[in-house]
Amino acid sequence: MTMPYAVTNKRVFSRLEKQMIWQKPTSHQTSEIELRIASEIKNNWDDTEMKIMNVLLEGDAGSGKTQLAKALSYDLQLPYTKVTCFADMDKSDVFGALLPVVATDDKTDGELLEAIYQTDSLDAVLKLIAQHYSIDLAAAKMRLAALVSRVDANEQEVVHYKFYPSEIVRAVEKGYLLEIQEPTVIRDASVLVALNSALEPNGMLNLPTGIIKRHLDCVIVITTNRNYQGNRPLNESLRDRMQHAERMDLPELAVMVERAVAKTGVTNLPLLTKMAEIIRLLDETAKTNAIKGVAGMRSYFYWVNTFKQGQDVFKSLYPKVIYKLTTEPNEITLLEQALDDSRLLVSLRQVLVPDASDALKEIRGRKISAQEADMRNITKEAPSEAVLQSYEVKDATDAKNNEAELEESSNKTTEKPSPEQPQTKGEREAHDGASETGKENTEGISKEQNVDIETYEKAEKELRKELNKKARSAMKGTIHEKEGLIIQRPKFTKEDVAKAQDLTQEVLPVVTRLTKKITDILENDQSEVYGKGKYSGTRFDASRVAYGDYRTFDKKNPPHEEPSLALALRIDESGSMLKDERIKNARLAALAVASFAEKVNIPLMIYGDTADLSSREKTSIYSYKEFSDDYLYLGAKLVTMKPRQNNRDGVSLRLLSQKLAEENATTKLLINISDGQPKALPDYTGTKAKEDIQAVMTEFERQGVIYLAAAIGDDKEAIKTIYGSERFLDISDLETFPEDLIQLISRYL
């Protein structure tokens, strides 16, 4: 059989090495990515300068990374082996370790014992012995018993130590295709950096037994997930040594269906397509809402297989897909809501029972129990199709009327200030703190509260000047460069302090409960502490040799880690936030997040903004908290948040993104809380505003900033279009918004 991508035609393998070359099952579907990588490696194999020997596959669980690595073993005709990384992996796990052996090891059983050391169960040991000696399992048991007898007979002999190289060393030395799985989970960043020299074309590893040179046929494939809990960014120096990298996502629908046919034997293409669409929807919804589970190809295959077995696919959807994503009730509700809105389950039922399509016209979503209806405060059944159609006619008429009213209201808004705002420029500056030289209103700060009023005022004044200077500098080269921009430090009164205390007490039970849950998860050991009495490790303890139990090594415990998250909140303070108490709930959410962030020590920054307060202030930014601020009177400042005028979203997003990108954190999360489309004078709206916001996100996503847009108003679809479905959060219940927001943030810790 011709192997077009084989790179080892002239190489002679041992019997064991031939068995290690992966064989493609009949269900394997060769992908475009597989052919591309195999072709790249083959075409550059003889080029000493441009040879491709290190490949990075990065993507979600179930996207086929390991399957692709194995397929490359077949394509290139290289023996396949793998190493799965774990959190407290250290250099002894990467290179190998000194382990105690008995005298017979080196004479008669050395090769077999070395293999047994890498096996983790009795069944695996017996299978290994049977394979090694080409005997059946019964004979393998006798062979193992004889080996144990020889070891027992020599147990009184002097203990010797032997260096057993790791699978990484073995693959590098012997020229195998090595898959290193999930290196991003390793807590000690220096561990894999030690492999850097081996990743070079003529790389070497310095071992206790001598220097090992990298075999010319060795290909290393690193497979890792993206942004999963417990993962860390792949070290830059290691990433730079990858000569080829691929992003592994769920394949196209047609490819998913093709693979499902090959894997399960199910040939109902409309059914497979609809099930694939549901998988993709659930995966997208999970990412949007920061649900840590994954709906991938594995879930798809096993769900399809339940149909083959005659099970109800609507019931099996939960154990095969949804419960693999999450078992948290609130998160399951989000997934179910996405399915209801998409009507994919209705379409799936139509595919399964085509004759029932007429009856399904009355179905507009799943029917819930009385208990769930009570929990969700639903008191009426959904109206019939005929009633809904009559509503749609009325809604279309109302929409036109509302559009005209909004346009008229917008025109009025640009001509004069909101009734809540002072009418003159001087009054506005006194009211909103627009004057950079004006004295702050610090009523409510007293000597009894241990605050030096003059020092506080002076510090606020200097900080405000510095913030304005940096903000205007940040706007250079943007469409906002010539627009008036002022950064405010909100003033507050004694009444605001008291109100903040009351509101904080309102959200305190939720904050306390979630804080305890998170702090329990984040407890880790200190990295300076060594665990003693280990079979292998980085430090030899000669004093323990006398015990004769082989526990003669010390191993460093996993390092302690603080929550590596920096968080920025942007809150829309446009006039429409007055509707349906949106600003009230946004304020409560901000107070809850601030209390949570203070308790778990998350760097936090909060900005509110509006536009067109005056001709001088085309954009007004309210700096409630900078990363460098403490939490003193933050609650009182947040209480002053209110609906104002228009909104120029791109300015505040750019300022927050720039400061967030400068933070030293693994995860940098920016949450935008808004109820409508951006709109400000003279022409900041529509396509212009959308392109401005998307340009900001594109620029700073490259610097590690993650964006989430929480839509709490009527323009949810417009916000979804601007920010993208993968960044969109639909906040349907404003009453639970504070708790939902904290739970969302905690998923990024």
Side-chain angles (χ1 to χ4, degrees):
M1 180 179 177
T2 305
M3 306 296 293
Y5 302 113
V7 295
T8 55
N9 293 327
K10 298 179 181 179
R11 184 170 164 185
V12 179
F13 292 110
S14 67
R15 183 182 61 180
L16 179 60
E17 288 174 334
K18 288 179 181 178
Q19 293 174 351
M20 292 170 63
I21 298 176
W22 193 67
Q23 299 299 312
K24 289 183 178 180
T26 55
S27 61
H28 178 79
Q29 298 293 309
T30 302
S31 66
E32 179 186 349
I33 294 178
E34 177 189 337
L35 295 177
R36 181 165 61 246
I37 298 175
S39 175
E40 286 281 322
I41 293 175
K42 175 65 174 178
N43 293 339
N44 293 279
W45 191 253
D46 296 323
D47 189 334
T48 55
E49 296 296 330
M50 294 290 107
K51 189 172 184 177
I52 295 176
M53 305 176 71
N54 305 319
V55 177
L56 172 64
L57 304 179
E58 194 170 18
D60 294 326
S63 57
K65 300 184 296 294
T66 293
Q67 183 82 355
L68 176 53
K70 291 178 178 178
L72 290 174
S73 164
Y74 173 83
D75 294 330
L76 304 176
Q77 286 295 288
L78 286 172
Y80 168 83
T81 187
K82 70 176 181 180
V83 171
T84 302
C85 301
F86 50 94
D88 58 345
M89 196 171 183
D90 62 18
K91 292 181 182 178
S92 67
D93 298 304
V94 173
F95 297 125
L98 285 169
L99 294 174
V101 296
V102 294
T104 56
D105 287 358
D106 293 320
K107 295 178 181 178
T108 58
D109 303 307
E111 182 180 357
L112 181 59
L113 282 173
E114 181 178 350
I116 290 175
Y117 279 130
Q118 301 176 29
T119 311
D120 56 6
S121 68
L122 178 60
D123 288 341
V125 169
L126 291 175
K127 290 179 182 178
L128 180 65
I129 294 174
Q131 184 182 37
H132 183 77
Y133 291 108
S134 299
I135 56 179
D136 58 24
L137 289 178
K141 290 182 180 179
M142 297 177 61
R143 183 83 63 155
L144 179 61
L147 175 62
V148 172
S149 297
R150 287 197 298 275
V151 172
D152 289 341
N154 291 278
E155 64 180 357
Q156 300 300 323
E157 293 186 9
V158 177
V159 177
H160 298 280
Y161 289 88
K162 180 180 178 181
F163 179 76
Y164 289 90
S166 70
E167 192 66 13
I168 293 177
V169 171
R170 194 165 76 98
V172 169
E173 181 182 17
K174 296 188 176 183
Y176 298 160
L177 186 145
L178 168 67
E179 180 190 1
I180 302 179
Q181 296 183 336
E182 311 304 339
T184 51
V185 304
I186 301 175
R187 292 176 178 168
D188 188 348
S190 66
V191 172
L192 275 181
V193 175
L195 270 179
N196 280 355
S197 59
L199 292 173
E200 301 293 344
N202 296 312
M204 296 181 294
L205 291 174
N206 194 355
L207 306 178
T209 54
I211 294 177
I212 298 296
K213 290 189 66 176
R214 178 172 180 170
H215 195 287
L216 292 177
D217 290 345
C218 176
V219 174
I220 296 178
V221 179
I222 292 180
T223 58
T224 182
N225 295 320
R226 284 196 301 264
N227 298 326
Y228 282 8
Q229 187 168 358
N231 283 19
R232 293 149 185 83
L234 195 62
N235 179 273
E236 290 84 350
S237 63
L238 195 70
R239 183 183 285 272
D240 186 55
R241 284 170 169 79
M242 299 294 106
Q243 293 117 356
H244 188 95
E246 290 284 353
R247 171 176 172 169
M248 303 286 289
D249 293 314
L250 277 176
E252 298 296 325
L253 284 174
V255 178
M256 291 179 68
V257 170
E258 184 181 355
R259 292 182 183 178
V261 171
K263 198 81 171 178
T264 65
V266 177
T267 57
N268 187 332
L269 299 186
L271 173 73
L272 294 175
T273 301
K274 197 59 61 178
M275 295 174 81
E277 289 177 4
I278 291 172
I279 290 289
R280 295 181 72 89
L281 173 71
L282 290 173
D283 185 59
E284 179 181 313
T285 304
K287 290 177 182 176
T288 300
N289 292 280
I291 298 173
K292 289 298 183 182
V294 174
M297 293 299 292
R298 294 189 187 99
S299 300
Y300 178 48
F301 292 151
Y302 280 100
W303 186 31
V304 170
N305 197 52
T306 63
F307 170 77
K308 179 181 178 181
Q309 295 171 346
Q311 299 182 39
D312 185 334
V313 294
F314 298 96
K315 293 181 179 179
S316 63
L317 172 63
Y318 282 82
K320 298 302 182 184
V321 184
I322 290 181
Y323 291 155
K324 287 179 64 178
L325 283 161
T326 179
T327 55
E328 193 73 33
N330 291 339
E331 295 177 348
I332 290 175
T333 301
L334 290 173
L335 298 174
E336 290 174 338
Q337 186 63 50
L339 288 171
D340 289 348
D341 293 343
S342 69
R343 296 178 59 81
L344 283 174
L345 291 181
V346 175
S347 301
L348 178 61
R349 192 176 296 276
Q350 289 174 330
V351 171
L352 286 168
V353 191
D355 295 338
S357 57
D358 292 337
L360 286 167
K361 289 180 180 178
E362 291 294 318
I363 300 176
R364 298 186 66 86
R366 66 188 180 92
K367 187 165 184 174
I368 62 176
S369 66
Q371 182 181 5
E372 184 177 351
D374 183 58
M375 290 176 61
R376 294 172 61 179
N377 199 27
I378 298 174
T379 58
K380 297 181 180 179
E381 290 189 7
S384 66
E385 188 76 18
V387 174
L388 285 168
Q389 287 177 354
S390 68
Y391 285 165
E392 287 170 2
V393 174
K394 180 178 182 299
D395 288 344
T397 304
D398 290 344
K400 292 181 179 179
N401 294 336
N402 289 340
E403 186 176 348
E405 290 176 7
L406 285 171
E407 183 65 28
E408 182 181 355
S409 173
S410 175
N411 293 335
K412 290 180 180 179
T413 303
T414 60
E415 294 171 4
K416 63 180 181 179
S418 163
E420 289 188 19
Q421 302 300 317
Q423 299 300 305
T424 67
K425 179 179 176 181
E427 289 173 338
R428 262 195 305 273
E429 291 179 346
H431 185 267
D432 290 317
S435 173
E436 294 188 26
T437 58
K439 185 174 181 179
E440 285 286 331
N441 180 355
T442 53
E443 181 186 347
I445 301 178
S446 64
K447 293 182 179 178
E448 288 76 10
Q449 292 168 309
N450 297 319
V451 178
D452 186 325
I453 297 176
E454 291 185 3
T455 302
Y456 179 83
E457 289 179 345
K458 183 177 180 181
E460 286 288 286
K461 181 179 178 180
E462 292 300 319
L463 177 58
R464 188 171 62 242
K465 285 183 177 180
E466 184 65 22
L467 291 175
N468 276 282
K469 181 179 178 182
K470 290 182 178 179
R472 289 161 188 159
S473 176
M475 291 302 111
K476 288 183 178 179
T478 72
I479 62 174
H480 313 288
E481 181 176 4
K482 296 181 179 180
E483 304 290 349
L485 167 63
I486 294 182
I487 306 286
Q488 314 284 4
R489 291 287 283 181
K491 57 183 178 57
F492 57 92
T493 66
K494 182 168 60 178
E495 288 73 21
D496 294 328
V497 175
K499 186 177 180 181
Q501 292 173 346
D502 293 339
L503 292 176
T504 302
Q505 288 298 317
E506 184 178 333
V507 298
L508 192 59
V510 171
V511 173
T512 302
R513 173 168 53 83
L514 294 178
T515 300
K516 184 180 185 303
K517 180 180 177 181
I518 293 302
T519 51
D520 288 345
I521 294 173
L522 295 175
E523 288 182 353
N524 291 295
D525 295 327
Q526 294 292 335
S527 60
E528 292 79 9
V529 178
Y530 279 83
K532 294 181 176 294
K534 307 292 184 182
Y535 286 113
S536 65
T538 55
R539 196 165 67 181
F540 179 73
D541 185 359
S543 65
R544 293 195 55 87
V545 174
Y547 290 96
D549 58 0
Y550 307 148
R551 297 175 180 270
T552 54
F553 290 89
D554 298 340
K555 191 169 186 177
K556 185 180 288 187
N557 288 335
H560 175 74
E561 292 183 345
E562 294 294 331
S564 188
L565 170 67
L567 174 65
L569 288 185
R570 180 259 169 173
I571 300 174
D572 176 6
E573 295 190 45
S574 60
S576 58
M577 288 288 283
L578 180 64
K579 184 179 179 182
D580 298 330
E581 296 188 324
R582 294 169 189 169
I583 197 69
K584 172 188 172 183
N585 289 284
R587 188 188 300 128
L588 267 179
L591 283 165
V593 169
S595 180
F596 176 72
E598 183 177 16
K599 290 179 182 295
V600 297
N601 197 27
I602 298 175
L604 175 66
M605 184 175 181
I606 303 177
Y607 272 10
D609 64 272
T610 190
D612 305 321
L613 282 180
S614 71
S615 58
R616 179 169 177 249
E617 288 187 72
K618 285 295 185 184
T619 305
S620 304
I621 303 289
Y622 298 89
S623 169
Y624 295 103
K625 186 181 183 305
E626 300 288 331
F627 282 123
S628 57
D629 288 342
D630 56 29
Y631 287 85
L632 182 65
Y633 296 115
L634 174 57
K637 293 177 183 178
L638 291 173
V639 164
T640 67
M641 187 184 298
K642 64 180 180 180
R644 303 178 197 270
Q645 289 282 0
N646 295 328
N647 51 312
R648 188 181 295 270
D649 300 25
V651 176
S652 54
L653 286 177
R654 178 170 290 277
L655 292 177
L656 285 166
S657 300
Q658 190 174 74
K659 295 189 177 184
L660 191 56
E662 294 170 355
E663 284 295 297
N664 184 22
T666 303
T667 304
K668 303 169 184 180
L669 180 63
L670 194 158
I671 299 179
N672 177 66
I673 301 173
S674 177
D675 75 329
Q677 302 183 60
K679 186 173 184 180
L681 294 174
D683 58 352
Y684 189 78
T685 187
T687 302
K688 182 176 182 179
K690 176 182 176 181
E691 290 177 351
D692 177 48
I693 292 171
Q694 291 178 342
V696 172
M697 292 191 294
T698 300
E699 177 181 349
F700 288 97
E701 278 180 336
R702 290 195 293 265
Q703 301 180 46
V705 177
I706 299 171
Y707 293 90
L708 293 176
I712 60 176
D714 302 325
D715 287 341
K716 293 177 181 179
E717 287 303 315
I719 295 175
K720 186 175 182 179
T721 301
I722 294 173
Y723 288 89
S725 58
E726 71 279 7
R727 308 184 190 94
F728 175 73
L729 300 173
D730 185 349
I731 306 301
S732 55
D733 189 350
L734 290 179
E735 294 296 326
T736 62
F737 183 34
E739 179 175 358
D740 294 342
L741 190 57
I742 295 178
Q743 286 186 330
L744 172 68
I745 293 166
S746 66
R747 294 178 200 139
Y748 285 88
L749 289 173

